[in-house]
Amino acid sequence: MRTPIIAGNWKMNMNPTQTAEFVQAVKDQLPELSVVETVIAAPAVDLPALLENAQGSQLHVAAENCYFEDEGAFTGETSPKVLHEMGVDYVIIGHSERRDYFHETDEDINKKAHAIFKNEMTPIICCGESLEIREAGKAEEWVKGQIEAALKGLSADQVASLVIAYEPIWAIGTGKTATADQAEEICAVIRATVADLYDEETAANVRIQYGGSVKPANVKELMAKENIDGGLVGGASLQPESFLQLAHFND
Ligand code: 13P
């Protein structure tokens, strides 16, 4: 049984005061962890406020990125070792904004996945095609390649425990959601890829989110799909009310 996982990705929004206010507004109204797992991924500068305010609540905390080394001369990077020491549970890696604007490669993302597991946290690995790739009929092949590269060298147990987020680039921040059928189609390909690389049990356990203009109005239809286990939500995760509506999609 895969527990649904609704995660907000705040991107480069919110400050520590806004973070504290947000968590105080949602913390007592979140679903039980066994029913729907809720996560907020915040900028590194907001993580202390997020952790402090989320303490004792159902809310899990994610970083939006980290480096693949624990420490050293890497100016401006965030240590996965320190994220773990702080109490962070998840780290998003491979978001299309990081791939596009900061030139992250499949190899970097794979190294980060290993570093996150080494530091006892769980990666949320993003994948997804551009409009150009989709229109060329190559979306499945593209996403399959991203998944194979990201998972290289991970054990079946590790893969069973992680989260994959399918985020078609053309649907991010555009208000243009993939239809539930389009999202399901690629999420099914991702699960089949995991089954090919590992086994059916691992594929049955890995949780797959859809991301790209998820809103309270469309979350239910997306979550009803067999291979969609959650949402990775940008814009609609910034307001407490809308995040709570997403978290309670099932009520
Ligand atoms: P939006 O929900 O704002 O489209 O962002 C999606 C996303 O990139 C989440 O990681």
Side-chain angles (χ1 to χ4, degrees), residues 118-130:
K118 191 185 103 185
N119 285 293
E120 298 169 54
M121 298 178 292
T122 303
I124 298 176
I125 302 176
C126 301
C127 60
E129 80 288 355
S130 64

Side-chain angles (χ1 to χ4, degrees), residues 9 11 95 97 167 171-174 211-215 232-236:
N9 172 15
K11 309 193 177 183
H95 194 283
E97 288 150 16
E167 300 203 310
I172 295 177
T174 56
S213 300
V214 176
K215 307 270 182 274
L232 185 57
V233 188

Side-chain angles (χ1 to χ4, degrees), residues 12-242:
M12 201 176 75
N13 294 294
M14 308 289 254
N15 64 29
T17 306
Q18 293 166 324
T19 300
E21 285 167 4
F22 178 99
V23 180
Q24 291 305 326
V26 302
K27 66 187 274 190
D28 297 329
Q29 297 176 66
L30 294 169
E32 285 299 314
L33 261 182
S34 56
V35 179
V36 177
E37 183 178 357
T38 50
V39 182
I40 289 288
V45 288
D46 296 325
L47 288 173
L50 181 56
L51 286 157
E52 190 188 326
N53 285 279
Q55 217 165 35
S57 78
Q58 310 280 332
L59 188 65
H60 280 158
V61 171
E64 296 178 12
N65 181 35
C66 70
Y67 197 51
F68 50 74
E69 298 287 352
D70 285 350
E71 61 203 1
F74 305 106
T75 302
E77 289 295 328
T78 302
S79 160
K81 181 165 173 271
V82 176
L83 289 176
H84 173 60
E85 286 167 2
M86 289 169 74
V88 169
D89 307 293
Y90 290 95
V91 186
I92 297 178
I93 51 173
H95 194 283
S96 60
E97 288 150 16
R98 296 218 52 90
R99 293 180 192 256
D100 287 354
Y101 307 150
F102 305 101
H103 313 292
E104 280 191 12
T105 65
D106 280 336
E107 195 188 347
D108 295 332
I109 292 154
N110 177 247
K111 284 185 189 165
K112 290 180 182 195
H114 283 275
I116 291 162
F117 276 120
K118 191 185 103 185
N119 285 293
E120 298 169 54
M121 298 178 292
T122 303
I124 298 176
I125 302 176
C126 301
C127 60
E129 80 288 355
S130 64
L131 189 58
E132 198 182 355
I133 291 169
R134 172 156 287 261
E135 285 176 346
K138 295 201 156 76
E140 291 189 11
E141 190 187 318
W142 177 264
V143 169
K144 214 170 151 193
Q146 286 183 320
I147 295 303
E148 284 170 0
L151 301 184
K152 210 168 273 177
L154 295 179
S155 71
D157 283 351
Q158 287 173 327
V159 174
S161 73
L162 59 73
V163 179
I164 295 173
Y166 167 57
E167 300 203 310
I169 298 168
W170 47 272
I172 295 177
T174 56
K176 198 170 166 185
T177 329
T179 64
D181 285 340
Q182 282 174 321
E184 166 65 12
E185 196 180 0
I186 302 287
C187 290
V189 168
I190 293 170
R191 202 174 301 286
T193 304
V194 172
D196 283 349
L197 293 171
Y198 294 87
D199 50 61
E200 290 296 336
E201 195 191 337
T202 306
N205 282 311
V206 66
R207 289 186 294 175
I208 304 174
Q209 297 174 313
Y210 165 76
S213 300
V214 176
K215 307 270 182 274
N218 59 24
V219 66
K220 209 177 165 98
E221 190 190 355
L222 289 160
M223 291 300 293
K225 294 293 178 187
E226 189 185 335
N227 288 291
I228 300 179
D229 307 313
L232 185 57
V233 188
S237 73
L238 292 167
Q239 299 299 332
E241 188 149 313
S242 136

